PDB file of all heavy atoms in Angstrom:
ATOM      1  N   VAL A   1      11.765  66.005  39.246  1.00 98.00           N
ATOM      2  CA  VAL A   1      10.683  65.049  39.375  1.00 98.00           C
ATOM      3  C   VAL A   1       9.513  65.753  40.053  1.00 98.00           C
ATOM      4  O   VAL A   1       9.687  66.528  41.026  1.00 98.00           O
ATOM      5  CB  VAL A   1      11.088  63.838  40.220  1.00 98.00           C
ATOM      6  CG1 VAL A   1       9.907  63.038  40.664  1.00 98.00           C
ATOM      7  CG2 VAL A   1      12.085  62.962  39.444  1.00 98.00           C
ATOM      8  N   GLU A   2       8.316  65.491  39.538  1.00 98.00           N
ATOM      9  CA  GLU A   2       7.095  66.123  40.141  1.00 98.00           C
ATOM     10  C   GLU A   2       6.191  64.951  40.707  1.00 98.00           C
ATOM     11  O   GLU A   2       5.863  64.008  39.988  1.00 98.00           O
ATOM     12  CB  GLU A   2       6.297  66.867  39.072  1.00 98.00           C
ATOM     13  CG  GLU A   2       5.008  67.436  39.550  1.00 98.00           C
ATOM     14  CD  GLU A   2       4.183  68.053  38.429  1.00 98.00           C
ATOM     15  OE1 GLU A   2       4.141  67.450  37.317  1.00 98.00           O
ATOM     16  OE2 GLU A   2       3.587  69.130  38.635  1.00 98.00           O
ATOM     17  N   ILE A   3       5.841  65.133  41.958  1.00 98.00           N
ATOM     18  CA  ILE A   3       4.920  64.155  42.642  1.00 98.00           C
ATOM     19  C   ILE A   3       3.632  64.961  42.826  1.00 98.00           C
ATOM     20  O   ILE A   3       3.541  65.870  43.641  1.00 98.00           O
ATOM     21  CB  ILE A   3       5.516  63.633  43.912  1.00 98.00           C
ATOM     22  CG1 ILE A   3       6.849  62.980  43.717  1.00 98.00           C
ATOM     23  CG2 ILE A   3       4.481  62.610  44.524  1.00 98.00           C
ATOM     24  CD1 ILE A   3       6.822  61.791  42.789  1.00 98.00           C
ATOM     25  N   THR A   4       2.573  64.546  42.116  1.00 96.00           N
ATOM     26  CA  THR A   4       1.285  65.289  42.208  1.00 96.00           C
ATOM     27  C   THR A   4       0.280  64.626  43.082  1.00 96.00           C
ATOM     28  O   THR A   4       0.478  63.527  43.621  1.00 96.00           O
ATOM     29  CB  THR A   4       0.672  65.345  40.787  1.00 96.00           C
ATOM     30  OG1 THR A   4       0.140  64.052  40.444  1.00 96.00           O
ATOM     31  CG2 THR A   4       1.731  65.736  39.739  1.00 96.00           C
ATOM     32  N   GLY A   5      -0.845  65.348  43.273  1.00 88.00           N
ATOM     33  CA  GLY A   5      -1.918  64.781  44.038  1.00 88.00           C
ATOM     34  C   GLY A   5      -2.831  63.940  43.060  1.00 88.00           C
ATOM     35  O   GLY A   5      -2.520  63.884  41.873  1.00 88.00           O
ATOM     36  N   PRO A   6      -3.956  63.388  43.494  1.00 82.00           N
ATOM     37  CA  PRO A   6      -4.902  62.715  42.616  1.00 82.00           C
ATOM     38  C   PRO A   6      -5.607  63.752  41.733  1.00 82.00           C
ATOM     39  O   PRO A   6      -5.562  64.929  42.022  1.00 82.00           O
ATOM     40  CB  PRO A   6      -5.850  62.065  43.647  1.00 82.00           C
ATOM     41  CG  PRO A   6      -5.782  62.911  44.815  1.00 82.00           C
ATOM     42  CD  PRO A   6      -4.415  63.439  44.937  1.00 82.00           C
ATOM     43  N   PRO A   7      -6.312  63.313  40.696  1.00 73.00           N
ATOM     44  CA  PRO A   7      -7.032  64.292  39.802  1.00 73.00           C
ATOM     45  C   PRO A   7      -7.990  65.081  40.603  1.00 73.00           C
ATOM     46  O   PRO A   7      -8.919  64.618  41.252  1.00 73.00           O
ATOM     47  CB  PRO A   7      -7.774  63.317  38.860  1.00 73.00           C
ATOM     48  CG  PRO A   7      -6.949  62.058  38.845  1.00 73.00           C
ATOM     49  CD  PRO A   7      -6.405  61.883  40.291  1.00 73.00           C
ATOM     50  N   SER A   8      -7.774  66.420  40.514  1.00 73.00           N
ATOM     51  CA  SER A   8      -8.646  67.350  41.204  1.00 73.00           C
ATOM     52  C   SER A   8      -8.230  68.732  40.806  1.00 73.00           C
ATOM     53  O   SER A   8      -7.189  68.968  40.224  1.00 73.00           O
ATOM     54  CB  SER A   8      -8.494  67.197  42.725  1.00 73.00           C
ATOM     55  OG  SER A   8      -7.253  67.689  43.207  1.00 73.00           O
ATOM     56  N   SER A   9      -9.083  69.761  41.188  1.00 73.00           N
ATOM     57  CA  SER A   9      -8.728  71.132  40.836  1.00 73.00           C
ATOM     58  C   SER A   9      -7.488  71.589  41.632  1.00 73.00           C
ATOM     59  O   SER A   9      -6.669  72.353  41.146  1.00 73.00           O
ATOM     60  CB  SER A   9      -9.908  72.067  41.210  1.00 73.00           C
ATOM     61  OG  SER A   9     -10.197  71.988  42.583  1.00 73.00           O
ATOM     62  N   VAL A  10      -7.278  71.053  42.817  1.00 81.00           N
ATOM     63  CA  VAL A  10      -6.105  71.418  43.633  1.00 81.00           C
ATOM     64  C   VAL A  10      -4.841  70.944  42.869  1.00 81.00           C
ATOM     65  O   VAL A  10      -3.912  71.715  42.712  1.00 81.00           O
ATOM     66  CB  VAL A  10      -6.197  70.752  44.998  1.00 81.00           C
ATOM     67  CG1 VAL A  10      -4.844  70.933  45.778  1.00 81.00           C
ATOM     68  CG2 VAL A  10      -7.317  71.424  45.782  1.00 81.00           C
ATOM     69  N   THR A  11      -4.855  69.712  42.481  1.00 85.00           N
ATOM     70  CA  THR A  11      -3.692  69.157  41.734  1.00 85.00           C
ATOM     71  C   THR A  11      -3.410  69.902  40.448  1.00 85.00           C
ATOM     72  O   THR A  11      -2.292  70.270  40.119  1.00 85.00           O
ATOM     73  CB  THR A  11      -3.921  67.662  41.412  1.00 85.00           C
ATOM     74  OG1 THR A  11      -3.999  66.920  42.647  1.00 85.00           O
ATOM     75  CG2 THR A  11      -2.868  67.082  40.575  1.00 85.00           C
ATOM     76  N   GLU A  12      -4.509  70.151  39.684  1.00 87.00           N
ATOM     77  CA  GLU A  12      -4.326  70.854  38.386  1.00 87.00           C
ATOM     78  C   GLU A  12      -3.765  72.251  38.608  1.00 87.00           C
ATOM     79  O   GLU A  12      -2.846  72.659  37.863  1.00 87.00           O
ATOM     80  CB  GLU A  12      -5.682  70.911  37.698  1.00 87.00           C
ATOM     81  CG  GLU A  12      -6.196  69.510  37.223  1.00 87.00           C
ATOM     82  CD  GLU A  12      -7.653  69.613  36.789  1.00 87.00           C
ATOM     83  OE1 GLU A  12      -8.231  70.678  36.739  1.00 87.00           O
ATOM     84  OE2 GLU A  12      -8.190  68.476  36.494  1.00 87.00           O
ATOM     85  N   GLN A  13      -4.286  72.974  39.586  1.00 90.00           N
ATOM     86  CA  GLN A  13      -3.820  74.349  39.797  1.00 90.00           C
ATOM     87  C   GLN A  13      -2.400  74.425  40.290  1.00 90.00           C
ATOM     88  O   GLN A  13      -1.619  75.225  39.818  1.00 90.00           O
ATOM     89  CB  GLN A  13      -4.770  75.067  40.803  1.00 90.00           C
ATOM     90  CG  GLN A  13      -6.119  75.306  40.215  1.00 90.00           C
ATOM     91  CD  GLN A  13      -7.152  75.715  41.296  1.00 90.00           C
ATOM     92  OE1 GLN A  13      -6.788  75.866  42.449  1.00 90.00           O
ATOM     93  NE2 GLN A  13      -8.411  75.795  40.864  1.00 90.00           N
ATOM     94  N   ARG A  14      -2.015  73.508  41.180  1.00 94.00           N
ATOM     95  CA  ARG A  14      -0.640  73.521  41.680  1.00 94.00           C
ATOM     96  C   ARG A  14       0.341  73.142  40.553  1.00 94.00           C
ATOM     97  O   ARG A  14       1.440  73.715  40.395  1.00 94.00           O
ATOM     98  CB  ARG A  14      -0.522  72.588  42.848  1.00 94.00           C
ATOM     99  CG  ARG A  14      -1.214  73.084  44.073  1.00 94.00           C
ATOM    100  CD  ARG A  14      -1.083  72.155  45.294  1.00 94.00           C
ATOM    101  NE  ARG A  14      -1.942  72.634  46.376  1.00 94.00           N
ATOM    102  CZ  ARG A  14      -1.971  72.116  47.642  1.00 94.00           C
ATOM    103  NH1 ARG A  14      -1.257  71.062  47.877  1.00 94.00           N
ATOM    104  NH2 ARG A  14      -2.789  72.640  48.524  1.00 94.00           N
ATOM    105  N   GLY A  15      -0.046  72.127  39.753  1.00 96.00           N
ATOM    106  CA  GLY A  15       0.824  71.707  38.665  1.00 96.00           C
ATOM    107  C   GLY A  15       0.951  72.754  37.581  1.00 96.00           C
ATOM    108  O   GLY A  15       2.059  73.012  37.029  1.00 96.00           O
ATOM    109  N   ALA A  16      -0.177  73.443  37.248  1.00 96.00           N
ATOM    110  CA  ALA A  16      -0.145  74.442  36.240  1.00 96.00           C
ATOM    111  C   ALA A  16       0.705  75.618  36.652  1.00 96.00           C
ATOM    112  O   ALA A  16       1.481  76.120  35.815  1.00 96.00           O
ATOM    113  CB  ALA A  16      -1.576  74.895  35.891  1.00 96.00           C
ATOM    114  N   GLY A  17       0.627  76.028  37.911  1.00 97.00           N
ATOM    115  CA  GLY A  17       1.415  77.099  38.421  1.00 97.00           C
ATOM    116  C   GLY A  17       2.887  76.830  38.345  1.00 97.00           C
ATOM    117  O   GLY A  17       3.691  77.705  37.942  1.00 97.00           O
ATOM    118  N   PHE A  18       3.255  75.592  38.701  1.00 97.00           N
ATOM    119  CA  PHE A  18       4.694  75.250  38.664  1.00 97.00           C
ATOM    120  C   PHE A  18       5.165  75.239  37.248  1.00 97.00           C
ATOM    121  O   PHE A  18       6.292  75.748  37.019  1.00 97.00           O
ATOM    122  CB  PHE A  18       4.792  73.801  39.297  1.00 97.00           C
ATOM    123  CG  PHE A  18       6.273  73.319  39.416  1.00 97.00           C
ATOM    124  CD1 PHE A  18       7.092  73.878  40.371  1.00 97.00           C
ATOM    125  CD2 PHE A  18       6.777  72.393  38.538  1.00 97.00           C
ATOM    126  CE1 PHE A  18       8.409  73.463  40.545  1.00 97.00           C
ATOM    127  CE2 PHE A  18       8.098  71.981  38.654  1.00 97.00           C
ATOM    128  CZ  PHE A  18       8.902  72.545  39.632  1.00 97.00           C
ATOM    129  N   LYS A  19       4.484  74.597  36.324  1.00 97.00           N
ATOM    130  CA  LYS A  19       4.904  74.593  34.969  1.00 97.00           C
ATOM    131  C   LYS A  19       5.028  75.944  34.331  1.00 97.00           C
ATOM    132  O   LYS A  19       5.962  76.266  33.604  1.00 97.00           O
ATOM    133  CB  LYS A  19       3.997  73.705  34.111  1.00 97.00           C
ATOM    134  CG  LYS A  19       4.038  72.218  34.447  1.00 97.00           C
ATOM    135  CD  LYS A  19       3.066  71.385  33.657  1.00 97.00           C
ATOM    136  CE  LYS A  19       3.214  69.915  33.984  1.00 97.00           C
ATOM    137  NZ  LYS A  19       2.779  69.602  35.311  1.00 97.00           N
ATOM    138  N   GLU A  20       4.099  76.847  34.627  1.00 95.00           N
ATOM    139  CA  GLU A  20       4.073  78.189  34.179  1.00 95.00           C
ATOM    140  C   GLU A  20       5.395  78.924  34.600  1.00 95.00           C
ATOM    141  O   GLU A  20       6.004  79.621  33.790  1.00 95.00           O
ATOM    142  CB  GLU A  20       2.888  78.939  34.705  1.00 95.00           C
ATOM    143  CG  GLU A  20       2.836  80.409  34.381  1.00 95.00           C
ATOM    144  CD  GLU A  20       1.699  81.155  35.040  1.00 95.00           C
ATOM    145  OE1 GLU A  20       0.661  80.521  35.395  1.00 95.00           O
ATOM    146  OE2 GLU A  20       1.895  82.334  35.389  1.00 95.00           O
ATOM    147  N   ALA A  21       5.813  78.661  35.853  1.00 96.00           N
ATOM    148  CA  ALA A  21       6.994  79.331  36.363  1.00 96.00           C
ATOM    149  C   ALA A  21       8.253  78.757  35.679  1.00 96.00           C
ATOM    150  O   ALA A  21       9.082  79.625  35.231  1.00 96.00           O
ATOM    151  CB  ALA A  21       7.084  79.180  37.873  1.00 96.00           C
ATOM    152  N   ILE A  22       8.413  77.557  35.603  1.00 96.00           N
ATOM    153  CA  ILE A  22       9.686  76.982  35.107  1.00 96.00           C
ATOM    154  C   ILE A  22       9.796  77.089  33.546  1.00 96.00           C
ATOM    155  O   ILE A  22      10.899  77.036  33.048  1.00 96.00           O
ATOM    156  CB  ILE A  22       9.910  75.516  35.546  1.00 96.00           C
ATOM    157  CG1 ILE A  22       8.888  74.602  34.890  1.00 96.00           C
ATOM    158  CG2 ILE A  22       9.923  75.366  37.092  1.00 96.00           C
ATOM    159  CD1 ILE A  22       9.204  73.127  35.131  1.00 96.00           C
ATOM    160  N   GLU A  23       8.690  77.305  32.893  1.00 94.00           N
ATOM    161  CA  GLU A  23       8.720  77.483  31.461  1.00 94.00           C
ATOM    162  C   GLU A  23       9.351  78.788  31.052  1.00 94.00           C
ATOM    163  O   GLU A  23       9.658  79.085  29.873  1.00 94.00           O
ATOM    164  CB  GLU A  23       7.336  77.390  30.844  1.00 94.00           C
ATOM    165  CG  GLU A  23       6.881  75.925  30.734  1.00 94.00           C
ATOM    166  CD  GLU A  23       5.364  75.790  30.310  1.00 94.00           C
ATOM    167  OE1 GLU A  23       4.787  76.853  30.089  1.00 94.00           O
ATOM    168  OE2 GLU A  23       4.926  74.686  30.163  1.00 94.00           O
ATOM    169  N   SER A  24       9.603  79.714  31.999  1.00 90.00           N
ATOM    170  CA  SER A  24      10.237  80.960  31.763  1.00 90.00           C
ATOM    171  C   SER A  24      11.732  80.818  31.497  1.00 90.00           C
ATOM    172  O   SER A  24      12.391  81.719  31.028  1.00 90.00           O
ATOM    173  CB  SER A  24       9.971  81.870  32.905  1.00 90.00           C
ATOM    174  OG  SER A  24      10.701  81.416  34.098  1.00 90.00           O
ATOM    175  N   THR A  25      12.214  79.583  31.716  1.00 91.00           N
ATOM    176  CA  THR A  25      13.642  79.340  31.406  1.00 91.00           C
ATOM    177  C   THR A  25      13.727  78.022  30.639  1.00 91.00           C
ATOM    178  O   THR A  25      12.888  77.112  30.848  1.00 91.00           O
ATOM    179  CB  THR A  25      14.498  79.158  32.684  1.00 91.00           C
ATOM    180  OG1 THR A  25      15.821  78.835  32.353  1.00 91.00           O
ATOM    181  CG2 THR A  25      13.938  78.117  33.626  1.00 91.00           C
ATOM    182  N   ASP A  26      14.702  77.872  29.767  1.00 89.00           N
ATOM    183  CA  ASP A  26      14.813  76.702  28.844  1.00 89.00           C
ATOM    184  C   ASP A  26      15.548  75.575  29.505  1.00 89.00           C
ATOM    185  O   ASP A  26      15.541  74.450  28.959  1.00 89.00           O
ATOM    186  CB  ASP A  26      15.526  77.078  27.592  1.00 89.00           C
ATOM    187  CG  ASP A  26      14.747  78.087  26.712  1.00 89.00           C
ATOM    188  OD1 ASP A  26      13.508  78.025  26.813  1.00 89.00           O
ATOM    189  OD2 ASP A  26      15.358  78.867  25.989  1.00 89.00           O
ATOM    190  N   GLY A  27      16.197  75.793  30.648  1.00 94.00           N
ATOM    191  CA  GLY A  27      17.028  74.768  31.212  1.00 94.00           C
ATOM    192  C   GLY A  27      16.416  73.806  32.209  1.00 94.00           C
ATOM    193  O   GLY A  27      17.033  72.927  32.744  1.00 94.00           O
ATOM    194  N   MET A  28      15.125  74.053  32.487  1.00 95.00           N
ATOM    195  CA  MET A  28      14.400  73.221  33.484  1.00 95.00           C
ATOM    196  C   MET A  28      13.549  72.128  32.792  1.00 95.00           C
ATOM    197  O   MET A  28      12.803  72.451  31.877  1.00 95.00           O
ATOM    198  CB  MET A  28      13.483  74.100  34.371  1.00 95.00           C
ATOM    199  CG  MET A  28      14.202  75.315  34.894  1.00 95.00           C
ATOM    200  SD  MET A  28      15.285  74.986  36.292  1.00 95.00           S
ATOM    201  CE  MET A  28      14.081  74.766  37.590  1.00 95.00           C
ATOM    202  N   GLU A  29      13.677  70.897  33.250  1.00 95.00           N
ATOM    203  CA  GLU A  29      12.970  69.786  32.606  1.00 95.00           C
ATOM    204  C   GLU A  29      12.318  68.886  33.632  1.00 95.00           C
ATOM    205  O   GLU A  29      12.976  68.439  34.577  1.00 95.00           O
ATOM    206  CB  GLU A  29      13.960  68.952  31.752  1.00 95.00           C
ATOM    207  CG  GLU A  29      13.315  67.766  31.049  1.00 95.00           C
ATOM    208  CD  GLU A  29      14.338  66.876  30.336  1.00 95.00           C
ATOM    209  OE1 GLU A  29      15.529  67.161  30.533  1.00 95.00           O
ATOM    210  OE2 GLU A  29      13.895  65.929  29.680  1.00 95.00           O
ATOM    211  N   ILE A  30      11.029  68.607  33.493  1.00 97.00           N
ATOM    212  CA  ILE A  30      10.371  67.628  34.318  1.00 97.00           C
ATOM    213  C   ILE A  30      10.534  66.273  33.737  1.00 97.00           C
ATOM    214  O   ILE A  30       9.976  65.999  32.667  1.00 97.00           O
ATOM    215  CB  ILE A  30       8.876  67.984  34.549  1.00 97.00           C
ATOM    216  CG1 ILE A  30       8.727  69.349  35.233  1.00 97.00           C
ATOM    217  CG2 ILE A  30       8.164  66.903  35.312  1.00 97.00           C
ATOM    218  CD1 ILE A  30       7.266  69.774  35.357  1.00 97.00           C
ATOM    219  N   ILE A  31      11.384  65.455  34.281  1.00 97.00           N
ATOM    220  CA  ILE A  31      11.712  64.191  33.660  1.00 97.00           C
ATOM    221  C   ILE A  31      10.812  63.060  34.106  1.00 97.00           C
ATOM    222  O   ILE A  31      10.712  61.954  33.447  1.00 97.00           O
ATOM    223  CB  ILE A  31      13.168  63.759  33.999  1.00 97.00           C
ATOM    224  CG1 ILE A  31      13.397  63.686  35.517  1.00 97.00           C
ATOM    225  CG2 ILE A  31      14.106  64.757  33.326  1.00 97.00           C
ATOM    226  CD1 ILE A  31      14.793  63.127  35.914  1.00 97.00           C
ATOM    227  N   ALA A  32       9.989  63.250  35.158  1.00 98.00           N
ATOM    228  CA  ALA A  32       8.942  62.299  35.582  1.00 98.00           C
ATOM    229  C   ALA A  32       7.954  62.991  36.401  1.00 98.00           C
ATOM    230  O   ALA A  32       8.267  63.870  37.225  1.00 98.00           O
ATOM    231  CB  ALA A  32       9.679  61.163  36.416  1.00 98.00           C
ATOM    232  N   SER A  33       6.667  62.583  36.183  1.00 97.00           N
ATOM    233  CA  SER A  33       5.557  63.236  36.942  1.00 97.00           C
ATOM    234  C   SER A  33       4.511  62.086  37.214  1.00 97.00           C
ATOM    235  O   SER A  33       3.982  61.521  36.316  1.00 97.00           O
ATOM    236  CB  SER A  33       4.936  64.326  36.143  1.00 97.00           C
ATOM    237  OG  SER A  33       3.805  64.865  36.837  1.00 97.00           O
ATOM    238  N   GLN A  34       4.384  61.774  38.549  1.00 97.00           N
ATOM    239  CA  GLN A  34       3.429  60.740  38.894  1.00 97.00           C
ATOM    240  C   GLN A  34       2.671  61.166  40.158  1.00 97.00           C
ATOM    241  O   GLN A  34       3.093  61.963  40.969  1.00 97.00           O
ATOM    242  CB  GLN A  34       4.181  59.461  39.196  1.00 97.00           C
ATOM    243  CG  GLN A  34       4.765  58.777  37.985  1.00 97.00           C
ATOM    244  CD  GLN A  34       5.231  57.385  38.258  1.00 97.00           C
ATOM    245  OE1 GLN A  34       4.706  56.637  39.072  1.00 97.00           O
ATOM    246  NE2 GLN A  34       6.366  56.981  37.612  1.00 97.00           N
ATOM    247  N   SER A  35       1.465  60.535  40.375  1.00 94.00           N
ATOM    248  CA  SER A  35       0.632  60.885  41.461  1.00 94.00           C
ATOM    249  C   SER A  35       1.065  60.139  42.709  1.00 94.00           C
ATOM    250  O   SER A  35       1.284  58.915  42.691  1.00 94.00           O
ATOM    251  CB  SER A  35      -0.824  60.569  41.159  1.00 94.00           C
ATOM    252  OG  SER A  35      -1.652  60.762  42.330  1.00 94.00           O
ATOM    253  N   GLY A  36       1.123  60.842  43.817  1.00 94.00           N
ATOM    254  CA  GLY A  36       1.357  60.261  45.051  1.00 94.00           C
ATOM    255  C   GLY A  36       0.071  60.178  45.940  1.00 94.00           C
ATOM    256  O   GLY A  36       0.124  59.794  47.103  1.00 94.00           O
ATOM    257  N   ASP A  37      -1.011  60.599  45.363  1.00 86.00           N
ATOM    258  CA  ASP A  37      -2.382  60.526  46.036  1.00 86.00           C
ATOM    259  C   ASP A  37      -2.414  61.266  47.353  1.00 86.00           C
ATOM    260  O   ASP A  37      -3.268  60.887  48.216  1.00 86.00           O
ATOM    261  CB  ASP A  37      -2.776  59.094  46.160  1.00 86.00           C
ATOM    262  CG  ASP A  37      -3.142  58.383  44.958  1.00 86.00           C
ATOM    263  OD1 ASP A  37      -3.678  59.119  44.030  1.00 86.00           O
ATOM    264  OD2 ASP A  37      -2.946  57.135  44.822  1.00 86.00           O
ATOM    265  N   PHE A  38      -1.630  62.259  47.499  1.00 84.00           N
ATOM    266  CA  PHE A  38      -1.564  63.009  48.829  1.00 84.00           C
ATOM    267  C   PHE A  38      -1.317  62.050  49.964  1.00 84.00           C
ATOM    268  O   PHE A  38      -1.854  62.231  51.040  1.00 84.00           O
ATOM    269  CB  PHE A  38      -2.836  63.823  49.043  1.00 84.00           C
ATOM    270  CG  PHE A  38      -2.948  65.034  48.139  1.00 84.00           C
ATOM    271  CD1 PHE A  38      -4.196  65.504  47.708  1.00 84.00           C
ATOM    272  CD2 PHE A  38      -1.788  65.732  47.751  1.00 84.00           C
ATOM    273  CE1 PHE A  38      -4.286  66.638  46.913  1.00 84.00           C
ATOM    274  CE2 PHE A  38      -1.910  66.835  46.973  1.00 84.00           C
ATOM    275  CZ  PHE A  38      -3.116  67.307  46.505  1.00 84.00           C
ATOM    276  N   SER A  39      -0.517  60.995  49.739  1.00 87.00           N
ATOM    277  CA  SER A  39      -0.275  59.980  50.735  1.00 87.00           C
ATOM    278  C   SER A  39       1.214  59.794  50.862  1.00 87.00           C
ATOM    279  O   SER A  39       1.973  59.644  49.910  1.00 87.00           O
ATOM    280  CB  SER A  39      -0.920  58.649  50.264  1.00 87.00           C
ATOM    281  OG  SER A  39      -0.347  57.520  50.915  1.00 87.00           O
ATOM    282  N   THR A  40       1.675  59.749  52.108  1.00 91.00           N
ATOM    283  CA  THR A  40       3.092  59.493  52.419  1.00 91.00           C
ATOM    284  C   THR A  40       3.514  58.132  51.909  1.00 91.00           C
ATOM    285  O   THR A  40       4.553  57.940  51.281  1.00 91.00           O
ATOM    286  CB  THR A  40       3.391  59.606  53.925  1.00 91.00           C
ATOM    287  OG1 THR A  40       3.010  60.952  54.361  1.00 91.00           O
ATOM    288  CG2 THR A  40       4.793  59.411  54.263  1.00 91.00           C
ATOM    289  N   GLU A  41       2.689  57.163  52.210  1.00 93.00           N
ATOM    290  CA  GLU A  41       3.024  55.773  51.838  1.00 93.00           C
ATOM    291  C   GLU A  41       3.045  55.572  50.293  1.00 93.00           C
ATOM    292  O   GLU A  41       3.972  54.954  49.759  1.00 93.00           O
ATOM    293  CB  GLU A  41       1.998  54.763  52.439  1.00 93.00           C
ATOM    294  CG  GLU A  41       2.032  54.713  53.928  1.00 93.00           C
ATOM    295  CD  GLU A  41       1.418  55.917  54.647  1.00 93.00           C
ATOM    296  OE1 GLU A  41       0.662  56.617  53.959  1.00 93.00           O
ATOM    297  OE2 GLU A  41       1.622  56.111  55.832  1.00 93.00           O
ATOM    298  N   THR A  42       2.038  56.087  49.604  1.00 94.00           N
ATOM    299  CA  THR A  42       2.016  55.970  48.148  1.00 94.00           C
ATOM    300  C   THR A  42       3.177  56.730  47.539  1.00 94.00           C
ATOM    301  O   THR A  42       3.772  56.249  46.554  1.00 94.00           O
ATOM    302  CB  THR A  42       0.680  56.571  47.580  1.00 94.00           C
ATOM    303  OG1 THR A  42      -0.442  55.836  48.189  1.00 94.00           O
ATOM    304  CG2 THR A  42       0.642  56.395  46.043  1.00 94.00           C
TER     305      THR A  42
END
C-alpha cells in the first residue's frame, strides 16, 4: 500500500522513485495508492 502526499513535485518525485525501484522485480505489486495529504489524521 502506498500513502502519498497531495499533488506536488515532492509527491511525484517520491512516488516515481519508489515505482522505479520496485519495477526491477516482478513480484512487487502496489495494490492501493491514496493521498494522506501529509497529515497524520487524514
